[in-house]
Each structure stands twice: as C-alpha cells, then as structure tokens.
Amino acid sequence: MLYNWVNQDIMLSLLEENHAQTLFDLVKENKAYLSNWLSFPSITNNVEDSKSFIQKSLFRFVNKEGFWVGIWYKDTLVGSIGFLYFDWKVKKTEIGYWLGEAYTNKGIMTNACAAMVSYAFEELELNKVEIKTAVKNMKSAAIPKRLGFQHEGTIRADEVIRDSFHDREVYGLLKTEWAK
Ligand SMILES: CC(C)(COP(=O)(O)OP(=O)(O)OC[C@H]1O[C@@H](n2cnc3c(N)ncnc32)[C@H](O)[C@@H]1OP(=O)(O)O)[C@@H](O)C(=O)NCCC(=O)NCCS
C-alpha cells in the first residue's frame, strides 16, 4: 500500500520521512487530546521523534512486520492508522489508529479502517483482524462495532497510559465474516 484512495476526500498513504514535520505538528497540536488514550504523544517531543517513528515504520514495512499510513482528508494530514504487527503463521494482525480532534465525527476513521481491513484480507490474505480499545474509550470501540467486529473479551491491565494500568476490550473479525 503506497497510497490508496478510500473515497473522494480520504486518502491513505505510507508515511515517509518528508511527512515528519507535518506529522509532528499534528501530534503536538493534539498532544493533550491523544494522551488520554495513547502513550506515544508523551514521547513525541520534537520533529526527530516523528522522523524516527516514520523510519521504524518504513523498516517494518520493508520487512513485512507491519506499517503505519497517514490519513489525508481533503489534502490535509489528519491522523494515522497502522498494522501493529503481522503474524504470518496465524494470518492475523491488529489495527491501531488516531485522529486530530478537529477531524473527528466525520466518519474518517471508520472509512479508513474499512479500507485497511479490506487490504488485510484481500491483499495480504490474512484471516483475522483485531482491534483493542481501552474499556472506557467508547469512540474507539464504536469503530470495530460499526464494521461488524465481534467483542471477544476483556484483557486486564493490558496497557499503561499516564502511569496507570488499563484493561482493554478485544474486537475481532474473520475473513469469512468480512466477506458477508
Ligand atoms: C478513536 C477515534 C479515531 C474515533 O474518532 P471518530 O471521529 O469517532 O471516528 P470516525 O472518524 O469513524 O467518525 C465517527 C463519527 O462520525 C459520525 N459520522 C459522520 N459521518 C460519518 C460517515 N460517513 N461514516 C461513519 N460515521 C460518520 C459517526 O456517527 C460517528 O459519530 P458518533 O460517535 O457521534 O456516532 C478518535 O476518537 C481518536 O483519535 N481518539 C484519540 C486516540 C484514540 O483513542 N485512538 C484509539 C486507541 S484504541
């Protein structure tokens, strides 16, 4: 996936080093908002941190270990979505995502996520996609629910945000279920 038009307004494109400044600016502007649910903004302190994140993502892309893409909405970088890992033996992956607050409530992430799920099943020929959300992150959980994922359980103390352990809900979707 180098780039992929989701619809006439939304485009997904592999994050490259020349996006580092724009990505950093977006994270900086949304640091407080994103830090409610994600830990990476707290360790993103300058453009070099964003560049390093992009370099690692490209390395993982080349090695078929996972990758992140930028989400462009009407030509503006508004967020990111990625495959956190690929388990080629079990044919499984997990999707993670975030948006700048100003770009929420427009359906951008649901549409971007649907495109990534299609890519996982059709291009990568995986069998299962998972999404994990902190138990109280209703806006995030609404995305897998909207896309027909099943709630598979709650994992206790599955991540640390702002020095506190958080339980996470697991949502899963099989290739056969997506086809329907
Ligand atoms: C998680 C996150 C991406 C969800 O953002 P979002 O804007 O709610 O998701 P979408 O872009 O899919 O938009 C869905 C909303 O737009 C509305 N919408 C408008 N047009 C829409 C369309 N064409 N299609 C779908 N939904 C649409 C939906 O009704 C929904 O609003 P509602 O929740 O009031 O019903 C965002 O809250 C975020 O970045 N949070 C911080 C980081 C985070 O939590 N990441 C996930 C960690 S697990």
Side-chain angles (χ1 to χ4, degrees), residues 57-76:
S57 175
L58 288 172
F59 180 85
R60 288 172 63 74
F61 175 73
V62 169
N63 288 291
K64 297 185 167 43
E65 295 173 358
F67 61 88
W68 283 82
V69 293
I71 303 172
W72 276 263
Y73 178 69
K74 297 180 178 171
D75 292 334
T76 300

Side-chain angles (χ1 to χ4, degrees), residues 18-36:
N18 62 338
H19 299 133
Q21 186 67 53
T22 318
L23 181 67
F24 174 69
D25 292 345
L26 184 65
V27 174
K28 188 176 166 196
E29 194 183 325
N30 289 279
K31 197 161 190 159
Y33 170 68
L34 295 174
S35 296
N36 289 324

Side-chain angles (χ1 to χ4, degrees), residues 10-12 69-73 76-81 108-109 112:
I10 305 169
M11 190 190 74
L12 306 182
V69 293
I71 303 172
W72 276 263
Y73 178 69
T76 300
L77 182 67
V78 298
S80 184
I81 183 166
I108 295 173
M109 193 54 82

